[in-house]
Amino acid sequence: MAMKEERKGIHVLMVAFAAQGHINPMLRLGKRLVSKGLHVTLATTELAAHRMLKFSTTTTKSISGIHLEFFFDGLSIDYDRKSNLDHYMDTLAKFGPINLSKLIQNLSHDHVPKFSCIINNPFVPWVADVAAEHKIPCAMLCIQPCTLYAIYYRFFNNLNSFPSLTNPDMSVELPGLPLLHTQDLPSFVLPSNPFGSIPKLFSQMFQNMKKVKWVLGNSFYELEKEVIDSMAELYPIRPIGPLVPSILLGEDQNLDIGIDLWKPEETCMEWLNQQPPSSVIYVSFGSNVVLSAKQMENIARGLKNSNHPFLWVAKSSDYPVKDGAGELPLGFLEETKGQGLIVPWCPQTKVLAHPAIACFLSHCGWNSTLETMAAGIPIIAYPQWTDQPTNAKLIGDVLQVGVKLMPNKDGVVSNEEVERCIGEIVGGPKAEEFKKKAAELKKGARQAVAEGGSSDRNMQLFVDEIIGNSR
Ligand code: UDX
């Protein structure tokens, strides 16, 4: 009883970058903290509030026991943040600390317990500075795999050799990881990548780790054992995931939490109900990738020629694009009527949990990857940038739960390659093995978050330490 009362006085502030793949894992972490008896507030920018009001059933004040707060990022709602990413990130880094600091002061009054911990992620490194100013301990949630944490930590602290302008093609050997060739490395560590706003943020974060008391990973120990162990002596990371919807973990669906920044097309579930078991190729590239017209055409032709039913999320860009990027080839909709369904956004986790799904052709964003693993489904990897190439390496070579689409000598993934990989995953000689691996990962994910599992123990340890620290 005394312990419960004590926990009610513990208030955790989570600060998320306003993106679909950032807010949802934070909310799921918040939900677990609430279930352990803690008081939780999530702060993000007004951009998220604007979209949430438009598409979600939530109010802007709270969601499943988590209090919501929004602050100004320095730009108007309709500013094209995607095309002007560097300016957006710079402005956020300027206004974010001021406005977050004000918010902390405003929330520090008699009716609300004072903050015992602030949780950030590497996209908002300045939150660790704000936490330090207010003398509140900071935790960092990595929303990408622990593998990426290890790579970035080593890269931004110059601990290992990485490709450089003089040696651009070198392979990288790191503890706990297979040999990484340039095509397996995150795009931000390659010399071909201009040192833009995101690597700048990461370098700020990873060189400033002394301000971070706990590093939490959206993963589970059994998934990335060797690389997690390899960081134990350096700057340990504790996996507490997968932070995926309850429906994928066999938990009570009513306990689910999450928001949609776009409106999901629920009718695709009725369409899935009409399809044979394990027959549908699900295709999606997450919330921010826009494929070129050539990529769209080759996927379209590959899907059509595979003769499999398909569900394709083809979200048009929120901002103007050039040269037909993101658009379906002319006539494709009519040609494939009856074979496939194309929607702008879908309820992805419900889709992945549907028995009609055979595999996921994915850009390998980490949320999609974890959701697919928790659903026990094989993956066709088509990584584009950031962590996605490394996630694809994990999927294909380390966990062996899928195949990667390989570009031809001109750097193009052809329609024949799309068709070949679909055949390999769905009906090839290794198809049963992929399914078996996928089923093992599904079981592992559930065990990790169940009471007494590796992630549940790490979560409990984190909670106990926050409480101990605030005494
Ligand atoms: C970004 C980066 O691109 C990714 O590389 C990084 O790992 C996380 O941040 P994003 O591209 O949006 O994320 O991909 P992902 O991490 O897969 O997140 C997409 C989320 O949107 C998933 O939770 C998925 O369930 C959801 N989604 C996607 C839908 O709900 N409906 C859809 O139609 C498509």
Side-chain angles (χ1 to χ4, degrees):
M1 185 65 186
M3 182 61 119
K4 212 160 180 201
E5 282 311 308
E6 190 178 22
R7 285 182 183 186
K8 270 195 195 155
I10 301 295
H11 192 177
V12 174
L13 174 65
M14 309 187 299
V15 186
F17 182 67
Q20 180 84 40
H22 294 223
I23 296 177
N24 280 348
M26 274 284 192
L27 281 173
R28 289 178 190 127
L29 166 60
K31 185 76 199 271
R32 294 193 183 269
L33 295 174
V34 169
S35 76
K36 304 259 179 210
L38 272 51
H39 195 101
V40 179
T41 296
L42 172 83
T44 182
T45 62
E46 286 164 0
L47 177 70
H50 173 75
R51 298 202 70 96
M52 278 162 70
L53 265 187
K54 216 165 157 185
F55 300 122
S56 294
T57 46
T58 179
T59 70
T60 49
K61 271 293 144 201
S62 83
I63 177 167
S64 301
I66 299 174
H67 179 71
L68 302 178
E69 288 289 341
F70 301 96
F71 58 92
F72 181 50
D73 67 5
L75 295 165
S76 67
I77 292 295
D78 48 10
Y79 181 80
D80 179 355
R81 289 168 176 74
K82 196 174 165 80
S83 311
N84 303 291
L85 194 63
D86 288 348
H87 181 61
Y88 170 31
M89 290 303 194
D90 288 346
T91 312
L92 176 63
K94 189 170 153 203
F95 284 86
I98 303 167
N99 293 335
L100 181 67
S101 212
K102 274 191 206 152
L103 199 144
I104 292 173
Q105 274 156 11
N106 292 343
L107 289 175
S108 302
H109 52 76
D110 292 348
H111 308 298
V112 183
K114 69 176 177 33
F115 293 113
S116 299
C117 174
I118 296 190
I119 307 180
N120 78 339
N121 82 41
F123 286 76
V124 281
W126 42 266
V127 174
D129 301 321
V130 176
E133 272 164 38
H134 289 265
K135 300 200 170 32
I136 304 169
C138 185
M140 176 169 94
L141 171 68
C142 290
I143 57 146
Q144 296 178 349
C146 300
T147 298
L148 267 290
Y149 167 71
I151 294 175
Y152 288 143
Y153 187 90
R154 292 174 180 283
F155 176 77
F156 289 109
N157 288 297
N158 287 320
L159 299 184
N160 297 78
S161 301
F162 282 84
S164 60
L165 286 173
T166 48
N167 194 1
D169 299 322
M170 75 168 279
S171 297
V172 176
E173 217 173 324
L174 299 177
L177 290 174
L179 187 67
L180 297 170
H181 304 293
T182 44
Q183 68 270 20
D184 308 321
L185 286 166
S187 54
F188 299 141
V189 305
L190 295 177
S192 52
N193 183 65
F195 199 75
S197 50
I198 298 179
K200 205 164 97 190
L201 291 173
F202 286 177
S203 70
Q204 226 178 308
M205 186 75 250
F206 286 94
Q207 289 166 9
N208 204 8
M209 292 297 289
K210 290 216 161 48
K211 290 191 175 158
V212 175
K213 193 171 166 63
W214 301 276
V215 182
L216 307 172
N218 184 10
S219 187
F220 55 104
Y221 178 70
E222 294 75 11
L223 194 66
E224 298 185 87
K225 224 185 256 184
E226 285 84 8
V227 75
I228 292 166
D229 288 344
S230 78
M231 291 305 290
E233 301 284 304
L234 221 45
Y235 220 99
I237 180 162
R238 292 180 193 167
I240 43 104
L243 299 166
V244 296
S246 317
I247 184 178
L248 297 176
L249 294 170
E251 297 170 343
D252 183 351
Q253 281 184 49
N254 297 322
L255 297 179
D256 208 4
I257 186 169
I259 53 150
D260 280 298
L261 299 184
W262 293 271
K263 189 172 165 31
E265 186 58 75
E266 296 285 341
T267 51
C268 65
M269 300 311 295
E270 288 153 33
W271 181 85
L272 280 177
N273 289 341
Q274 319 291 317
Q275 309 306 319
S278 300
S279 66
V280 174
I281 317 300
Y282 171 56
V283 186
S284 167
F285 287 81
S287 62
N288 57 36
V289 165
V290 181
L291 297 177
S292 70
K294 188 77 202 157
Q295 288 177 308
M296 292 293 287
E297 189 191 325
N298 287 347
I299 293 174
R301 284 170 58 200
L303 284 171
K304 180 170 178 261
N305 295 344
S306 77
N307 289 323
H308 274 276
F310 62 86
L311 171 61
W312 186 355
V313 176
K315 181 171 90 58
S316 53
S317 170
D318 297 337
Y319 302 108
V321 285
K322 289 190 197 114
D323 305 325
E327 281 171 23
L328 292 165
L330 270 181
F332 180 68
L333 275 176
E334 295 72 33
E335 282 169 34
T336 54
K337 221 177 201 154
Q339 184 190 353
L341 184 70
I342 293 162
V343 293
W345 194 252
C346 78
Q348 177 164 302
T349 44
K350 280 198 234 163
V351 165
L352 290 172
H354 196 286
I357 298 296
C359 68
F360 184 4
L361 195 167
S362 169
H363 71 314
C364 308
W366 189 236
N367 293 290
S368 293
T369 303
L370 282 176
E371 288 161 11
T372 318
M373 287 177 188
I377 288 171
I379 301 172
I380 299 174
Y382 194 179
Q384 303 297 313
W385 72 313
T386 172
D387 56 334
Q388 297 154 18
T390 318
N391 302 348
K393 174 78 176 174
L394 275 179
I395 291 165
D397 290 359
V398 181
L399 302 166
Q400 297 176 355
V401 70
V403 291
K404 182 174 151 186
L405 291 169
M406 298 306 283
N408 60 24
K409 60 180 178 8
D410 302 320
V412 175
V413 169
S414 66
N415 63 299
E416 290 89 358
E417 173 67 355
V418 174
E419 191 186 338
R420 187 191 69 76
C421 284
I422 293 174
E424 191 178 338
I425 281 279
V426 181
K430 281 174 72 188
E432 282 310 311
E433 224 167 291
F434 288 129
K435 274 196 203 159
K436 195 168 151 245
K437 292 269 181 199
E440 282 167 15
L441 288 176
K442 173 177 176 173
K443 194 169 159 206
R446 288 177 182 216
Q447 283 173 344
V449 293
E451 204 177 330
S454 56
S455 291
D456 181 59
R457 290 198 308 274
N458 279 339
M459 185 73 85
Q460 190 57 54
L461 189 63
F462 175 52
V463 169
D464 291 345
E465 288 179 8
I466 300 178
I467 296 171
N469 205 60
S470 66
R471 276 194 186 120

